[in-house]
């Protein structure tokens, strides 16, 4: 496989929307901004294949020639994320049927039914033709298949494919009936073709509500697999012509629909598009990066971010001066080995005309945004390459699992406000604030490298999960888990014998009942050392078995019963929290867990974000101010040099909002 030796700095480039004079201008501006890469051909299927039997690569040839001559690294997309109009006209089956059962006409993008054989045939052919034509271009750095795979389809072709997928999984109809507990409401099926897709016309109530979570979770797995098959199909088509160039597709962080851990196994490198809203906490942005790094435990590509604003959020605020730079360095700190924008030149019409770009509608380089892009370009030109061989090392693992994501959010009761990513973020936030790095891991990952494993809302315990966690603890690891954990198996049927099911012995508690709290309700918590706190969302009613109480409920009819516990299990320890704790209470618990796991807390207490990427004999520490006031740089850094500006850090230095320091050691 080609090893890319450049820190790619560039983005989506759509010269096909512009005249040739503009192309020339682009080349000058990009050089000025130190842009060294371009992602092309993302949405050009209609141009390349104007009719069913005709291909025309002339414009793309010119674009590739120009970029090659000008020495840009090229990220070449396959254009299969938006279908040409002729395909819909002749083969309406290529379109999707939505949750409501409406079959869609031509329009929008990400509009192909993943199980349409016509779509598959033409997508494969296009990928193959592109690879045959451009696969040996020396400037080709990455293949970018499709674009932001996602969404879902409920058409008849998908229904047929679902039955085949199920047959393969369950082998017998009896096994399927059992898995989905179809005896409930007399939904037993006797023939495979009695099975229908779970949308609004059948078991689906609304997008995340269903009468049979078992069916809906299987549908999610199937839909994710169907799109993954599309990806693999294009990948194989490319590989027939080009064995060397790494292949990716751009993911979307904590995106609900696709099991990215499964996807990442098929990708040479993970890439993703980061679009925080004006009010997304920086800790959540960091979490998304850590998840993307965690998919392969390797640095990733930032495929897209906007240099200024977006268009599709409700409120598309501008990035404040310095924010783009801070955000870019945060992305790198958490594992990015490229910084790429959507897009390089702002389009003139359609829904993205207000989307930020390196070159704005004014068409000049004399803009605030361009100057910031250029500053980052200059800095990355100087330091980017050295960062490539470094990564983050962490002793803390946080489990993220798409089956659990789907199962928790499909579950009817006890509390509809319980959402997966929010719970993951809540626990992550503590470590973010402490500047302790966290790896996001899957249930397939090896846990033995970690000292502390966090498993909040580990609702679904699949085959092998309990054994894996038990081994980790038995060997001396520290586990933190809590409410809504250990409840169901991989088909969403309850593990009988008392909650938290297979985790009961490990946690040393029996949860007899689970109370739900409405948004305005809270339960008081009293810690054994006298501190007070609150719990919300749900409250487990807990009996101690081998565990000890750390806090108890101080209100409600179960006051005086345990709310937070700890259990010694062989060489390790397990902390259990029975309710969604307020931030301070969660910090009390995690302080204890981190101490038991010998996780070193950062030497300094600071509001700055501090992250280190380590290489063989070098390390890079990023210090970033995401607050809105100046913050003193901790004394530990006095006398060191900021690698970006070559200034020595003195003991008076304060970082202004969005300022960044990079320390090489
Ligand atoms: C996504 C897409 C891009 C563009 C941006 C706009 O990430 O991949 O084509 O539409 O959104 O933010
Ligand atoms: Zn379909």
């Amino acid at each position: 496989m080609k090893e890319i030796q450049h820190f790619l700095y560039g983005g989506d480039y759509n010269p096909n929307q512009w005249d040739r004079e503009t192309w020339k201008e682009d080349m000058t501006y990009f050089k000025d901004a130190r842009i060294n890469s371009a992602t092309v051909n993302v949405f050009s299927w209609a141009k390349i294949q104007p009719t069913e039997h005709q291909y025309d690569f002339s414009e793309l040839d010119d674009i590739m020639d120009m970029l090659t001559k000008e020495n840009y690294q090229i990220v070449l997309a396959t254009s299969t994320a938006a279908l040409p109009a002729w395909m819909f006209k002749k083969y309406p089956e290529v379109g999707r049927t939505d949750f409501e059962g409406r079959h869609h006409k031509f329009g929008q993008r990400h509009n192909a039914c993943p199980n349409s054989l016509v779509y598959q045939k033409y997508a494969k052919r296009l990928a193959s033709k592109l690879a045959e034509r451009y696969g040996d271009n020396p400037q080709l750095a990455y293949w970018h298949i499709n674009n932001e795979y996602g969404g879902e389809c409920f058409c008849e072709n998908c229904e047929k494919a679902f039955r085949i997928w199920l047959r393969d999984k369950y082998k017998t109809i009896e096994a399927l009936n059992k898995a989905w507990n179809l005896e409930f409401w007399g939904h037993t099926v006797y023939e495979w073709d009695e099975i229908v897709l779970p949308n609004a016309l059948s078991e689906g109530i609304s997008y995340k509500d269903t009468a049979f979570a078992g069916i809906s979770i299987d549908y999610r797995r199937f839909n994710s697999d169907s799109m993954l098959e599309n990806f693999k199909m294009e990948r194989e088509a490319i590989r027939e012509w080009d064995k060397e160039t790494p292949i990716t597709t751009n993911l979307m962080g904590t995106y609900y629909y696709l099991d990215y851990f499964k996807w990442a196994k098929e990708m040479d490198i993970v890439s993703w598009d980061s679009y925080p809203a004006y009010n997304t906490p920086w800790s959540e942005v960091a979490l998304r990066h850590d998840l993307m790094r965690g998919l392969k435990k390797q640095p990733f590509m930032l495929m897209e971010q906007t240099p200024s604003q977006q268009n599709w959020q409700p409120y598309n605020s501008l990035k404040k001066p310095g924010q783009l730079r801070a955000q870019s360095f945060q992305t790198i700190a958490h594992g990015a080995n490229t910084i790429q924008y959507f897009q390089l030149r702002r389009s003139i019409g359609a829904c993205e005309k207000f989307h930020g770009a390196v070159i704005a509608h004014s068409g000049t380089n004399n803009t605030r945004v361009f100057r910031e892009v250029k500053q980052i370009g200059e800095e990355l030109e100087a330091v980017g390459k050295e960062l490539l061989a470094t990564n983050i090392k962490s002793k803390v693992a946080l489990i993220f699992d798409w089956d659990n994501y789907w199962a928790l959010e499909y579950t009817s009761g006890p509390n509809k406000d319980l959402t997966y990513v929010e719970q993951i973020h809540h626990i992550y936030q503590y470590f973010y604030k402490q500047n302790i790095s966290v790896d996001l891991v899957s249930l397939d990952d090896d846990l033995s490298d970690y000292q502390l494993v966090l498993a909040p809302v580990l609702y679904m315990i699949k085959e092998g999960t309990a054994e894996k966690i038990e081994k980790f603890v038995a060997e001396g690891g520290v586990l933190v888990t809590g409410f809504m954990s250990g409840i169901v198996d991989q088909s969403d049927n309850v593990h009988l014998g008392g909650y938290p099911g297979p985790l009961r012995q490990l946690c040393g508690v029996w949860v007899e009942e689970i109370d739900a709290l409405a948004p305005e309700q809270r339960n008081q918590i009293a810690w054994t050392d006298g501190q007070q706190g609150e719990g919300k969302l749900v409250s487990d009613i807990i009996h101690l078995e081998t565990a000890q109480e750390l806090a108890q409920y101080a209100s409600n009819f179960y006051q005086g019963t345990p709310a937070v516990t700890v259990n010694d299990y062989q060489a390790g320890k397990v902390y259990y929290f029975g309710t969604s704790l307020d931030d301070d209470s969660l910090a009390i618990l995690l302080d204890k867990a981190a101490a038991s796991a010998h996780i070193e807390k950062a030497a300094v207490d600071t509001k700055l974000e501090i992250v280190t990427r380590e290489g063989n004999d070098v390390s890079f520490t990023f210090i970033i101010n995401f607050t809105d006031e100046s913050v003193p740089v901790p004394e530990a850094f006095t006398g060191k040099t900021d690698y970006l500006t070559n200034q020595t850090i003195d003991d008076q230095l304060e970082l202004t909002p969005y300022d960044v320091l990079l320390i090489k050691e």
Side-chain angles (χ1 to χ4, degrees):
M1 195 77 61
K2 262 186 216 170
E3 287 264 354
I4 312 303
Q5 302 294 345
H6 301 259
F7 193 105
L8 262 54
Y9 188 58
D12 276 35
Y13 179 41
N14 297 303
N16 46 307
Q17 295 173 13
W18 300 91
D19 59 31
R20 305 280 166 135
E21 275 313 297
T22 313
W23 296 16
K24 284 190 201 145
E25 208 174 84
D26 290 335
M27 292 299 101
T28 336
Y29 287 152
F30 297 168
K31 288 269 148 68
D32 184 27
R34 307 300 189 266
I35 282 171
N36 63 19
S37 81
T39 303
V40 294
N41 200 42
V42 184
F43 292 107
S44 302
W45 196 344
K47 185 161 263 167
I48 294 175
Q49 195 180 358
T51 69
E52 185 169 8
H53 304 292
Q54 238 185 329
Y55 286 86
D56 176 3
F57 291 95
S58 53
E59 187 187 61
L60 186 56
D61 285 348
D62 292 348
I63 294 169
M64 293 293 286
D65 281 350
M66 170 178 75
L67 293 172
T68 305
K69 282 195 197 102
E70 301 270 351
N71 206 26
Y72 287 92
Q73 297 292 307
I74 301 170
V75 179
L76 183 56
T78 60
S79 262
T80 53
L83 309 184
W86 61 258
M87 206 186 284
F88 271 85
K89 185 170 137 195
K90 181 151 182 208
Y91 306 103
E93 63 146 278
V94 297
R96 289 184 183 176
T97 300
D98 64 21
F99 183 79
E100 311 293 332
R102 301 172 303 188
H103 191 70
H104 285 219
K105 294 189 177 183
F106 175 62
Q108 292 284 350
R109 58 177 176 174
H110 307 128
N111 48 1
C113 162
N115 289 298
S116 154
L117 296 180
V118 176
Y119 165 67
Q120 290 173 8
K121 170 175 144 189
Y122 285 113
K124 183 176 172 185
R125 186 177 290 175
L126 183 57
S128 170
K129 282 184 184 290
L130 288 164
E132 178 184 7
R133 199 168 187 97
Y134 305 112
D136 59 1
N137 182 316
Q139 292 300 110
L140 180 62
Y142 295 97
W143 283 101
H144 170 310
I145 292 183
N146 201 281
N147 185 71
E148 294 190 336
Y149 276 104
E152 57 192 355
C153 182
F154 295 92
C155 76
E156 283 181 13
N157 282 328
C158 285
E159 196 157 75
K160 287 181 193 141
F162 187 45
R163 292 173 187 148
I164 295 169
W165 185 93
L166 291 168
R167 230 181 152 129
D168 197 44
K169 174 169 178 171
Y170 292 106
K171 313 292 189 244
T172 67
I173 202 89
E174 291 75 25
L176 172 128
N177 276 299
K178 189 157 179 265
W180 290 352
N181 196 33
L182 294 184
E183 191 59 33
F184 177 74
W185 286 356
H187 281 210
T188 307
V189 290
Y190 293 93
E191 304 283 345
W192 294 97
D193 63 4
E194 290 166 11
I195 299 164
V196 296
L197 290 172
N199 68 353
L201 308 179
S202 56
E203 304 293 5
I205 298 161
S206 69
Y207 146 76
K208 282 185 186 172
D209 288 307
T210 173
F212 284 82
I215 304 182
S216 294
I217 295 164
D218 267 341
Y219 168 73
R220 287 273 153 251
R221 292 168 174 148
F222 157 77
N223 183 61
S224 173
D225 283 0
S226 298
M227 290 186 191
L228 182 55
E229 285 305 315
N230 291 170
F231 171 83
K232 284 158 67 182
M233 175 192 75
E234 287 196 39
R235 184 193 65 192
E236 295 319 311
I238 291 169
R239 281 288 171 252
E240 279 183 25
W241 299 100
D242 175 1
K243 308 256 181 273
E244 295 294 311
T245 311
I247 299 178
T248 190
T249 181
N250 46 346
L251 309 181
M252 294 177 279
T254 54
Y255 185 66
Y256 170 78
Y257 288 85
L258 305 179
D259 179 349
Y260 284 156
F261 275 108
K262 196 165 181 188
W263 276 67
K265 292 193 176 116
E266 306 295 338
M267 298 164 62
D268 296 321
I269 184 167
V270 166
S271 67
W272 92 281
D273 302 344
S274 176
Y275 288 104
Y278 77 97
N279 57 355
T280 309
W282 291 104
S283 53
E284 194 168 335
V285 182
L287 164 73
R288 295 172 187 168
H289 291 312
D290 286 349
L291 178 61
M292 295 295 99
R293 186 185 77 248
L295 296 181
K296 284 182 103 61
K297 292 204 168 122
Q298 278 165 22
F300 57 85
M301 301 171 70
L302 181 79
M303 189 64 89
E304 295 180 23
Q305 69 173 347
T306 175
S308 58
Q309 67 201 142
Q310 292 151 62
N311 65 284
W312 48 268
Q313 310 260 15
Y315 311 104
N316 298 284
S317 26
L318 294 174
K319 286 193 167 124
K320 301 196 176 65
Q323 184 180 339
L324 176 64
R325 180 168 177 260
Q327 190 175 327
S328 301
F329 279 102
Q330 184 196 37
T331 306
I332 299 168
H334 287 269
N337 274 3
T338 78
I339 291 290
Q340 295 156 278
Y341 297 108
F342 185 89
Q343 58 181 331
L344 298 187
R345 188 182 273 271
R346 201 171 204 175
S347 60
I348 69 160
C351 61
E352 286 176 354
K353 65 179 178 301
F354 280 129
H355 196 289
V358 172
I359 301 168
H361 287 148
S362 61
T364 76
N365 55 358
N366 184 19
T367 63
R368 177 181 77 93
V369 169
F370 189 93
R371 284 187 288 274
E372 284 204 31
V373 167
K374 177 172 171 173
Q375 183 192 349
I376 300 165
E378 286 168 346
E379 289 174 338
L380 291 179
E381 194 172 63
V383 309
K385 204 172 166 168
E386 285 181 80
L387 293 163
L388 295 178
T390 64
N391 200 356
I392 286 140
K393 293 198 175 129
S394 175
K395 292 286 162 211
V396 183
L398 171 52
I399 294 173
F400 195 100
D401 176 59
W402 264 268
D403 282 324
N404 268 285
Y405 193 167
W406 298 327
L408 186 80
E409 300 200 355
Y410 271 131
T411 266
S412 186
N415 190 327
K416 76 167 186 53
D417 294 341
L418 194 57
T419 55
Y420 189 70
V421 175
E422 204 181 326
Q423 295 306 318
I424 299 288
H425 176 243
H426 193 212
I427 205 158
Y428 176 88
Q429 214 176 12
Y430 164 89
F431 296 90
Y432 176 82
K433 281 189 195 148
Q434 307 268 348
N435 287 315
I436 297 171
S437 67
V438 174
D439 280 351
L440 274 283
V441 301
S442 80
L443 288 169
D444 289 341
D445 284 325
D446 178 15
L447 300 176
S448 61
D449 282 349
Y450 299 102
Q451 290 161 213
L452 178 59
V453 170
L454 310 164
V457 288
L458 193 62
Y459 174 66
M460 178 182 277
I461 303 282
K462 302 178 265 192
E463 261 166 45
T465 306
E467 294 74 12
K468 167 170 265 184
I469 294 178
E470 206 171 301
K471 181 166 179 278
F472 165 75
V473 180
E475 288 170 359
V478 176
L479 174 74
V480 178
T481 186
F483 61 89
M484 291 300 278
S485 295
I487 313 257
V488 297
D489 67 11
Q490 54 239 21
S491 301
D492 200 61
N493 293 316
V494 169
H495 289 290
L496 296 177
Y499 315 135
L503 303 180
R504 180 166 167 183
Q505 236 202 323
L506 210 56
C507 299
V509 296
W510 167 40
V511 175
E512 185 180 345
E513 292 180 276
I514 306 167
D515 196 10
L517 307 183
E520 69 281 9
Q521 296 177 321
R522 294 288 182 275
N523 273 335
Q524 302 309 305
I525 302 289
W527 292 85
T528 42
D529 66 1
Q531 297 185 77
Q532 311 275 321
E534 275 185 352
K536 59 176 185 179
L537 279 171
V538 291
S539 283
D540 285 346
I541 302 186
I542 298 174
H543 300 276
L544 298 177
E545 294 186 321
T546 52
Q548 288 175 328
E549 177 180 293
L550 293 174
Q552 58 177 231
Y553 295 109
S555 61
N556 219 320
F557 73 90
Y558 36 90
Q559 73 176 2
T561 67
V564 184
T565 63
V566 61
N567 191 40
D568 287 318
Y569 184 89
Q570 300 192 28
K573 261 188 200 317
V574 180
Y575 291 84
Y576 186 94
F577 55 110
T579 181
S580 178
L581 298 166
D582 65 89
D583 292 355
D584 289 344
S585 297
L586 187 65
I588 297 174
L589 165 65
L590 295 174
D591 276 347
K592 292 181 198 293
S596 306
H598 308 290
I599 301 296
E600 273 176 54
K601 281 217 194 178
V604 281
D605 201 14
T606 173
K607 287 188 172 155
L608 299 170
E609 181 174 339
I610 305 178
V611 184
T612 300
R613 277 181 70 154
E614 291 171 43
N616 282 340
D617 37 36
V618 64
S619 76
F620 289 92
T621 298
F622 299 75
I623 308 175
I624 310 170
N625 185 359
F626 281 117
T627 76
D628 47 19
E629 53 198 37
S630 292
V631 178
V633 176
E635 233 181 79
F637 298 104
T638 304
K640 300 192 171 171
T641 306
D642 173 22
Y643 202 47
L644 297 173
T645 58
N646 275 320
Q647 303 282 317
T648 307
I649 299 169
D650 66 42
D651 57 358
Q652 299 302 307
L653 184 64
E654 297 207 334
L655 272 196
T656 52
Y658 296 127
D659 209 354
V660 179
L661 297 173
L662 178 66
I663 293 161
K664 179 183 174 185
E665 283 173 303

